[in-house]
Amino acid sequence: MWLAWRNLNHDRFRFLVTIVGIAFAVFLMIFQGSLLVGFLRASSKTIDMTESDLWIAGRGVESCEFAGPMPERFYDIAAGVKGVAGVYRMTVGFTFFQKPSGMQQSVLLIGAEPGIGREFPIPYADAERTTVAPEAILVDRSNAKALELDRVPLGIEVGLKRAQVVEIIDGFGSFFGTPIVFGGYTDSLRYLRWPGEGVVFLGVRLQPGHDPQEVKAAMQARLPEVDVWTRDEFSLRSRIFWIRKTGAGAAIFMVAVLGFLVGLVIVSQNIYATTMENLEEFATLKAIGARKWYIQKVVLTQALACGIVGSLLGFLALLPLMDPVKETISWIYMPWWLPMGMIGVGLFMCVLASVASIKKALAVEPARVFRA
Amino acid sequence: MPEAALAADQVNITYGAGPAAVPALRNVSLSFAPGRLVLVMGPSGSGKTTLLSVLGCMLLPDQGDVLVRGQSVRGLSETGRVDLRRTSIGYVFQAFRLFRSLSALDNLLVSLDVSGQRGPEARARAEQGLAAVGLSDKWRLKPGELSGGEKQRVAIARALINDPPIVLADEPTASLDWRSGEGIAAMLLKIAQEDGKLVVVVTHDPRMTPFGQRIVTMQDGRVVEDAERN
């Protein structure tokens, strides 16, 4: 549709303003989308990284981060349910981390038994990942600076007890401000100083061929005092908790919507102004026998051309910023489908923005071409 | 006697309603044979442009009918009227109405594009169209870079590009200097005489008078004189 391109090319300044508006909107939508996806991903990462088919948690627990202990005997009961291959204990709680400078920092400590999952951060002592290093702690790179870790190994204190940061890990940055550190299960019980028993979650692996829902039902019947979830269910529950109850998800979503609306207004105004400026030309097109679809195609092509150029520009502008942003927001995550989706949203925005212009162009009286 | 290329049959048009109603055309009946240059003349507000809009299928009469090569316009849908305009009528406007973002050649190509003609054949045809009005060397210039006479010649080439049997022109010389105006008038006569097209020109311009083969004079929405010249 070369007429549309020529129209855009004729008024390059307006074209530029339009594509900058779209680029800004798409940039904002992809960025906010990456925050949202990253936030969701981070809020269930400790659950997703386990290989537990089922999770046993205290009644009403909604996330991995906020939970209380349950009786130790539940471990044995769970292990006795038909179809269970193994049960692994996990403890979680807030404690104090004493930095090398002597300053105290509140941290969330997660300690789990080997077997909970090969990718789950546990300070192993051996390459086979069977033995846990004593008094060892893992810290995510994004929290290293806050915890004054300039080298490893480094002796510190956790819960007023001796510990040693043995490794800096990646991909487990805190998404709620307080640093998350990882330790072995037994040491973590000491550091957290739970009164009495300290098991907070039980991760259950099933024997091959057993239906998780059936074992879950059997487990729930045997342990009516707690909640039993499949991993996916608990992961979703955790995401919903962080999205809904903290308001963070809504805030991120609202900024993304705002980006969409700002883009919509800019694109609408510019496409409408372009249409109004070319109204006589649309009347001429009608006079010389252009059908409705031809005129629709001209306006729509103009809008989509702006949309494609602007969206790609917005995406390309964001790419080089992602790595620097990750240094501050370690959990931000842009999956491949997000820019695709947001470029799609950007194009939809342009189509939506052209509706009023199309109406105007179609409504113009062809007879007005006779007016000088 | 050949079939009329274009005819108006008892056409009435009124603008507005009630006490503010202004009759623009009153019982206008005219029949136009092909191969003639017809001038429609008359003072401002006499209904010339309204007549042209009705003959050009852009306005539907309140009463009466328009027949384009025997085809009644009244019974046509809007799409039907659009198709009739595209296939049967070429338009030349006082204000040229060229697409300012397009070159002279592209202005002709738009008309072909609207008719579904694209590619090298369309381009060759557009080049021929420009050559016919003596603008071969100015094909890449945009309207802003052309003189008034040149713009009107591009507009005439555009009106003829789809080879319509009827050409309607609204004050085609009004914006032009004396020499350019005469050139355009001669060109329109040539189109009627040599190409056998009906050319209806609404004009105030006395320069056009010697070229008119028939002169229709209007006043207050009525045809007051209809004179064959030769």
Side-chain angles (χ1 to χ4, degrees):
Chain A
M1 206 57 205
W2 51 279
L3 179 58
W5 277 107
R6 299 288 170 84
N7 279 345
L8 292 174
N9 193 39
H10 184 69
D11 194 345
R12 288 181 197 163
F13 179 73
R14 180 164 287 153
F15 181 42
L16 192 71
V17 170
T18 309
I19 61 171
V20 166
I22 296 166
F24 171 74
V26 170
F27 177 99
L28 209 58
M29 287 191 291
I30 298 177
F31 184 74
Q32 292 299 320
S34 300
L35 283 178
L36 194 60
V37 171
F39 183 78
L40 284 169
R41 193 165 167 256
S43 65
S44 66
K45 187 152 190 180
T46 43
I47 301 163
D48 298 332
M49 293 309 286
T50 67
E51 292 167 23
S52 306
D53 299 300
L54 297 177
W55 274 71
I56 299 171
R59 176 57 52 89
V61 168
E62 292 184 280
S63 78
C64 198
E65 292 74 22
F66 299 108
M70 65 177 87
E72 185 79 26
R73 62 188 169 85
F74 289 176
Y75 171 85
D76 298 317
I77 296 171
V81 173
K82 189 183 173 190
V84 171
V87 181
Y88 305 94
R89 285 170 285 211
M90 182 188 280
T91 188
V92 180
F94 289 91
T95 185
F96 285 99
F97 182 105
Q98 187 168 302
K99 303 176 196 179
S101 64
M103 301 269 284
Q104 297 268 345
Q105 163 79 52
S106 177
V107 295
L108 181 75
L109 173 63
I110 301 176
E113 291 184 316
I116 195 95
R118 287 188 66 81
E119 300 303 317
F120 195 88
I122 293 173
Y124 291 104
D126 57 345
E128 287 75 36
R129 300 195 162 197
T130 52
T131 314
V132 177
E135 299 180 350
I137 292 290
L138 305 178
V139 175
D140 187 84
R141 192 173 307 280
S142 61
N143 297 133
K145 196 174 174 186
L147 298 176
E148 298 176 3
L149 305 176
D150 54 359
R151 66 186 186 282
V152 288
L154 185 65
I156 41 97
E157 282 187 6
V158 178
L160 299 177
K161 292 190 169 55
R162 187 180 58 205
Q164 188 178 46
V165 177
V166 294
E167 192 183 342
I168 303 293
I169 58 172
D170 290 297
F172 288 88
S174 173
F175 58 96
F176 59 96
T178 305
I180 305 174
V181 300
F182 296 88
Y185 177 70
T186 312
D187 285 329
S188 296
L189 288 178
R190 285 194 306 115
Y191 297 144
L192 290 170
R193 294 191 292 178
W194 283 117
E197 297 159 324
V199 59
V200 174
F201 295 107
L202 291 170
V204 179
R205 266 209 243 185
L206 302 185
Q207 292 168 356
H210 282 82
D211 178 22
Q213 288 297 340
E214 282 180 16
V215 181
K216 176 191 161 186
M219 188 80 72
Q220 189 70 76
R222 295 279 295 275
L223 295 167
E225 303 94 331
V226 292
D227 288 333
V228 183
W229 307 101
T230 65
R231 184 177 51 196
D232 289 345
E233 286 169 351
F234 193 47
S235 173
L236 180 65
R237 189 173 164 81
S238 178
R239 289 175 179 208
I240 290 171
F241 167 78
W242 282 103
I243 282 289
R244 281 174 50 183
K245 296 212 171 168
T246 64
I252 294 170
F253 183 72
M254 281 310 292
V255 178
V257 170
L258 202 65
F260 177 84
L261 290 177
V262 167
L264 187 67
V265 168
I266 293 173
V267 181
S268 300
Q269 282 200 333
N270 280 295
I271 291 176
Y272 193 75
T274 305
T275 305
M276 290 304 288
E277 206 169 83
N278 295 324
L279 212 53
E280 299 296 333
E281 296 191 352
F282 286 115
T284 306
L285 274 178
K286 286 183 89 171
I288 65 175
R291 284 191 164 184
K292 278 184 180 176
W293 64 262
Y294 190 92
I295 290 165
Q296 285 168 340
K297 217 162 66 171
V298 172
V299 180
L300 207 57
T301 305
Q302 283 178 205
L304 285 175
C306 294
I308 290 167
V309 176
S311 298
L312 287 175
L313 205 68
F315 172 54
L316 293 175
L318 181 61
L319 277 182
L321 297 178
M322 283 305 278
D323 280 339
V325 167
K326 270 185 182 169
E327 286 178 16
T328 316
I329 310 168
S330 63
W331 43 268
I332 193 168
Y333 178 63
M334 183 169 64
W336 65 268
W337 51 262
L338 185 69
M340 303 277 185
M342 289 304 136
I343 287 171
V345 172
L347 295 183
F348 170 70
M349 177 178 79
C350 293
V351 172
L352 202 64
S354 66
V355 169
S357 301
I358 288 173
K359 278 188 175 174
K360 195 76 189 172
L362 290 180
V364 65
E365 273 296 322
R368 71 187 282 157
V369 290
F370 287 124
R371 290 173 213 151
Chain B
M1 187 167 171
E3 185 193 12
L6 187 62
D9 179 23
Q10 293 291 310
V11 168
N12 282 277
I13 283 198
T14 304
Y15 293 129
V22 178
L25 292 178
R26 307 179 206 218
N27 294 319
V28 173
S29 290
L30 288 164
S31 181
F32 303 100
R36 307 282 287 169
L37 173 60
V38 181
L39 304 184
V40 179
M41 304 185 86
S44 294
S46 60
K48 303 186 300 293
T49 301
T50 302
L51 177 64
L52 207 60
S53 300
V54 172
L55 292 174
C57 308
M58 292 185 202
L59 269 185
L60 265 184
D62 297 333
Q63 289 170 343
D65 199 0
V66 168
L67 302 168
V68 179
R69 301 167 88 194
Q71 161 93 61
S72 164
V73 171
R74 180 161 278 288
L76 289 176
S77 64
E78 194 192 330
T79 307
R81 291 201 303 279
V82 168
D83 291 345
L84 195 63
R85 286 205 295 270
R86 186 175 61 249
T87 54
S88 301
I89 306 172
Y91 302 90
V92 179
F93 311 109
Q94 180 183 349
F96 319 121
R97 303 293 182 202
L98 297 175
F99 297 92
R100 63 208 161 97
S101 62
L102 303 183
S103 67
L105 187 74
D106 287 341
N107 264 283
L108 270 60
L109 284 171
V110 167
S111 243
L112 291 168
D113 194 43
V114 162
S115 305
Q117 299 172 67
R118 296 173 191 102
E121 282 178 21
R123 188 181 170 90
R125 196 164 169 184
E127 284 170 350
Q128 283 170 11
L130 276 186
V133 295
L135 290 174
S136 296
D137 55 331
K138 303 209 169 172
W139 66 273
R140 70 168 76 225
L141 297 185
K142 291 186 176 170
E145 299 163 317
L146 295 169
S147 70
E150 287 169 339
K151 283 183 208 169
Q152 201 57 294
R153 280 193 276 159
V154 174
I156 290 171
R158 182 178 66 181
L160 297 174
I161 195 74
N162 284 314
D163 197 23
I166 301 162
V167 175
L168 303 180
D170 180 34
E171 304 278 9
T173 56
S175 311
L176 306 180
D177 60 49
W178 183 265
R179 199 172 152 190
S180 301
E182 275 204 334
I184 293 297
M187 193 177 283
L188 292 171
L189 180 61
K190 186 170 165 245
I191 291 162
Q193 287 182 322
E194 293 183 12
D195 301 342
K197 296 180 189 301
L198 164 65
V199 181
V200 179
V201 178
V202 161
T203 185
H204 277 109
D205 191 347
R207 285 176 298 180
M208 285 294 303
T209 314
F211 296 91
Q213 296 172 304
R214 176 182 168 191
I215 298 179
V216 175
T217 308
M218 298 191 69
Q219 195 165 0
D220 295 331
R222 288 194 178 90
V223 175
V224 293
E225 193 181 343
D226 187 352
E228 290 286 344
R229 300 284 301 283
N230 47 39

